[in-house]
Amino acid sequence: MKIAWIGTGVMGAPMAKHLAKAGHDVHVYNRTFEKAKRLEPEVTAHETIEAVVRGADVIFSIVGYPTDVDAVIHEVMNHANPQSILVDMTTSSPSLAKALYEEGATRGFKVVDAPVTGGDLGAINATLSIMVGADQDVFNTIKPLLEIMGKTITYMGPAGSGQHAKLANQVAIAGAIGGAAESLRYAEIKGLNLDAMLQVITGGSADSWQGANNGPKMIVKDFEPGFYVKHFLKDLKLVMSEKGDLRLPITEGITEIYEILSRNGYDNFGTQVIIDYYLKDLR
């Protein structure tokens, strides 16, 4: 297939390269052209969305915020071939996903929401979990492409369902990363060896991906981003806006912590920087 890929950041770059390595003709675009250009020669970089979507069968996007998704998908619709499939893999608003699906249908496009989880390592190793909201036949068409990038591909239902699934996933992450940070801080205060403590956590019923992967980074204060604070906070705020009257006290508490981190200049650090909330007097 001829594939267009919009967004070559921490997640998008390795995902696009996996599709190219599988033999597809992949064309990429990024707002910062140099980020797209450095992926060559495996892919072909373009300087505009109009150029990158020309003749594409499937158009993937993974950008920053719902406002970015809205702008990008509308520009894609203005230039792409009718009947092409538009797959947005950004964590975004379920309501927006439904609206774009409905508008796409009136303009001859098949729009899919397919957010991912697994972080930068999942993107690099092609082990992502991908949750999909789409018409069933469209899901069946793109599933082989998704299987190139991920290990767990799950059809969640109609448009918007993929985004709701991703937000539910972020609720679970909120509890896991907060729990790992609190556990390590408690152990430190009580004079325990943190490496030994982390071995206990990851070797028993308290084990989690967050503990195993971000726990070691918390211990050595490695705050390089695999997943940015600003993007996780965006996800948590989406949960807050979509939950209605549902009480989510754990997620609400973790959202408040990341809002404090954001106010203190931590937006471009990795989510494991939550440990600093416990180490410093942040308000």
Side-chain angles (χ1 to χ4, degrees), residues 260-261 263-264 277 280-283:
I260 291 170
L261 289 167
R263 289 199 299 270
N264 281 273
Y277 172 81
K280 300 179 180 180
D281 186 24
L282 300 178
R283 299 181 187 278

Side-chain angles (χ1 to χ4, degrees), residues 109-191:
F109 297 102
K110 302 169 184 177
V111 181
V112 177
D113 51 294
V116 306
T117 186
D120 58 335
L121 292 178
I124 292 167
N125 298 322
T127 57
L128 293 168
S129 177
I130 305 174
M131 51 224 88
V132 185
D135 294 336
Q136 181 73 60
D137 62 326
V138 177
F139 170 74
N140 293 339
T141 299
I142 65 169
K143 187 180 179 184
L145 297 176
L146 301 179
E147 288 173 336
I148 295 168
M149 299 179 283
K151 187 168 68 173
T152 305
I153 316 300
T154 309
Y155 178 69
M156 301 305 301
S161 299
Q163 295 297 351
H164 278 304
K166 178 58 187 289
L167 295 186
N169 181 82
Q170 301 309 77
V171 168
I173 288 177
I177 196 166
E182 289 196 7
S183 173
L184 290 172
R185 183 56 176 153
Y186 177 86
E188 185 176 33
I189 288 294
K190 298 305 178 182

